[in-house]
């Protein structure tokens, strides 16, 4: 039987009973033979036996998903507003960072909306029809899938932008114009939307998992090659630089490259277990112990959206200054 490759956490009782033999890679709680006992403990931190061996099922309350998603959403909104407000941040690199923040927002919004529906349903405040929940699942799946595809694409785009800045500094503004940046952004968002829609439409096909894993690996290799070349050449050039202005320009470019290296590292740490989950679905469907920790992988994904804005603020003094102004203005407005 082909594994279920839906991404949303929501799943009706009927679906759970019918799909207990399937493995999921999306934002759903993994299935097992003790589904009834798991359903009774969804609002508590608990570790229950997934099978008769040593495997454990970790349950995380919906309130934690909601809280982390809401904090992440607010942070990324502030980043987008800061880049829009400050004209000094109106450059191709910050446009790409703004789009990366929007990609993180897709995860946050989908998590907040889905968790709200789940909480309202559990407390009897909302009665959703199977058709309505199916449409909600489809929308959430597409948003999260678009987020991962666009995030990887923008990380690669920013790496290419930093590469041009360092090795083609004098021609940078003629190569990476605002118009070209906008075209690149439009292409990435269109490709992400179309591909994620196709992925969800054919979610029962193993080819979907293969495509996602392949894209993940290709982008990681692409970024690794660019960053390795940048750091090696920058180290060699630093010994030959005499003119102060040029040295300062390169130092600024390298600071941007280091920032994006940190972002890429955080992305790998947070999304890595999820993609390993996908790989194991294709290669080791008996690895039930690894699948049983799936809720932790979901928390890591949300944490990626929460950590990224902190990295932007820490590494960019201009952005940090604007964020402080926005926070102060919002506090004064609420008072």
């Amino acid at each position: 039987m082909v594994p279920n490759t839906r991404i949303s956490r929501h799943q009706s009782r009927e679906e759970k009973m019918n799909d207990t033999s399937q493995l999921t890679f999306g934002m759903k709680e993994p299935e097992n033979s003790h589904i009834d006992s798991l359903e009774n403990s969804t609002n508590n931190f608990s570790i229950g036996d997934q099978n008769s061996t040593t495997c454990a099922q970790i349950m995380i309350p919906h309130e934690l998903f909601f809280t982390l998603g809401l904090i992440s959403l607010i942070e990324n909104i502030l980043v987008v507003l800061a880049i829009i407000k400050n004209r000094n941040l109106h450059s191709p690199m910050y446009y790409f960072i703004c789009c990366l923040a929007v990609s993180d927002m897709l995860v946050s919004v989908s998590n907040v909306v889905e968790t709200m529906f789940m909480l309202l349903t559990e407390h009897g405040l909302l009665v959703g029809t199977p058709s309505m929940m199916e449409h909600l699942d489809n929308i959430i799946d597409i948003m999260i899938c678009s987020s991962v595809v666009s995030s990887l694409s923008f990380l690669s785009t920013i790496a290419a932008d930093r590469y041009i800045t360092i090795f083609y500094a004098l021609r940078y503004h003629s190569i990476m114009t605002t118009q070209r940046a906008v075209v690149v952004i439009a292409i990435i968002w269109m490709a992400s939307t179309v591909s994620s829609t196709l992925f969800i439409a054919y979610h029962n096909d193993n080819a979907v998992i293969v495509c996602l894993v392949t894209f993940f690996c290709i982008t990681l290799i692409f970024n690794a090659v660019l960053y390795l070349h940048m750091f090696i050449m920058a180290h060699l050039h630093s010994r030959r630089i005499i003119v102060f202005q040029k040295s300062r320009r390169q130092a600024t470019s390298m600071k941007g490259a280091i920032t994006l290296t940190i972002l890429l590292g955080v992305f790998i740490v947070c999304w890595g277990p999820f993609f390993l989950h996908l790989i194991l679905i294709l290669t080791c469907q008996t690895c039930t112990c690894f699948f049983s920790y799936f809720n932790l992988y979901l928390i890591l994904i949300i944490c990626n959206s929460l950590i990224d804005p902190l990295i932007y603020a820490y590494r960019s003094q201009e952005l940090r200054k604007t964020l402080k102004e926005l926070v102060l203005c919002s506090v004064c407005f609420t008072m």
Side-chain angles (χ1 to χ4, degrees):
M1 184 177 293
V2 179
N4 185 0
T5 55
R6 297 307 299 267
I7 302 177
S8 59
R9 278 189 294 131
H10 170 267
Q11 189 176 31
S12 66
R13 180 178 179 84
E14 290 75 13
E15 288 175 314
K16 287 181 178 178
M17 298 304 293
N18 293 332
D19 293 340
T20 53
S21 62
Q22 296 184 354
L23 297 173
T24 60
F25 80 84
M27 298 188 70
K28 285 184 179 179
E29 298 166 3
E31 325 296 344
N32 56 65
S33 59
H34 300 287
I35 194 68
D36 289 331
S37 62
L38 292 180
E39 285 182 338
N40 294 330
S41 59
T42 53
N43 291 322
N44 301 300
F45 282 102
S46 63
I47 301 179
D49 291 335
Q50 186 185 21
N51 48 41
S52 59
T53 62
T54 58
C55 296
Q57 171 71 47
I58 295 181
M59 304 305 299
I60 298 178
H62 300 318
E63 290 80 4
L64 180 59
F65 279 101
F66 180 81
T67 302
L68 292 177
L70 190 60
I71 294 174
S72 171
L73 178 60
I74 294 173
E75 287 182 350
N76 284 285
I77 288 176
L78 287 174
V79 169
V80 173
L81 292 177
I83 294 175
I84 294 174
K85 177 183 177 182
N86 192 335
R87 291 186 175 274
N88 294 330
L89 301 178
H90 289 185
S91 63
M93 186 189 76
Y94 280 102
Y95 292 154
F96 298 142
I97 289 179
C98 182
C99 290
L100 191 58
V102 174
S103 297
D104 288 336
M105 284 172 58
L106 290 177
V107 173
S108 303
V109 170
S110 62
N111 177 70
V112 169
V113 172
E114 183 179 30
T115 306
M116 283 181 60
F117 269 88
M118 295 173 74
L119 288 172
L120 291 174
T121 302
E122 285 184 0
H123 290 83
L125 300 176
L126 177 67
V127 179
T129 63
S131 177
M132 181 183 73
M133 301 312 295
E134 181 180 357
H135 288 307
L136 175 64
D137 283 350
N138 288 335
I139 294 173
I140 290 172
D141 291 344
I142 291 174
M143 290 176 67
I144 298 176
C145 195
S146 294
S147 174
V148 64
V149 174
S150 59
S151 293
L152 285 168
S153 300
F154 284 118
L155 284 170
S156 300
T157 303
I158 296 171
D161 178 80
R162 291 301 86 196
Y163 187 88
I164 296 172
T165 304
I166 292 174
F167 293 102
Y168 303 94
L170 299 179
R171 297 172 50 198
Y172 173 78
H173 293 291
S174 61
I175 296 175
M176 186 57 69
T177 62
T178 301
Q179 183 177 4
R180 287 178 180 173
V182 171
V183 171
V184 170
I185 290 172
I187 292 175
I188 290 177
W189 280 119
M190 288 179 60
S192 299
T193 303
V194 172
S195 61
S196 61
T197 302
L198 291 175
F199 287 162
I200 301 308
Y202 298 96
H203 66 273
N204 286 321
D205 197 329
N206 281 338
V208 171
I209 303 179
V210 174
C211 289
L212 283 173
V213 173
T214 302
F215 183 64
F216 179 72
C217 294
I218 290 175
T219 52
L220 290 189
I221 294 173
F222 174 79
N223 282 277
V225 170
L226 287 188
Y227 284 126
L228 184 62
H229 190 208
M230 278 190 283
F231 289 124
I232 292 176
M233 294 305 294
H235 178 69
L236 296 176
H237 287 175
S238 63
R239 299 178 180 180
R240 306 171 188 171
I241 293 175
I242 300 176
V243 182
F244 171 75
Q245 182 66 27
K246 186 176 180 181
S247 176
R248 188 172 64 179
R249 184 191 308 121
Q250 182 170 1
T252 302
S253 299
M254 284 307 302
K255 182 178 180 181
I258 292 173
T259 300
L260 272 303
T261 303
I262 296 173
L263 287 171
L264 182 62
V266 171
F267 185 91
I268 294 173
V269 170
C270 293
W271 282 88
F274 173 79
F275 280 95
L276 179 58
H277 182 92
L278 300 188
I279 295 173
L280 290 179
I281 284 180
L282 297 176
T283 60
C284 181
Q285 294 192 11
T286 59
C287 299
T288 54
C289 287
F290 185 86
F291 298 140
S292 65
Y293 297 108
F294 187 72
N295 285 324
L296 293 182
Y297 314 150
L298 304 187
I299 289 293
L300 282 176
I301 290 174
I302 299 173
C303 285
N304 177 72
S305 302
L306 190 147
I307 294 172
D308 280 353
L310 301 179
I311 298 175
Y312 307 145
Y314 177 75
R315 298 291 300 179
S316 174
Q317 182 178 359
E318 190 73 26
L319 182 58
R320 184 166 63 250
K321 176 184 175 182
T322 309
L323 286 172
K324 287 180 179 179
E325 293 175 357
L326 287 174
V327 172
L328 290 175
C329 288
S330 61
V331 171
C332 294
F333 179 78
T334 54
M335 294 178 62

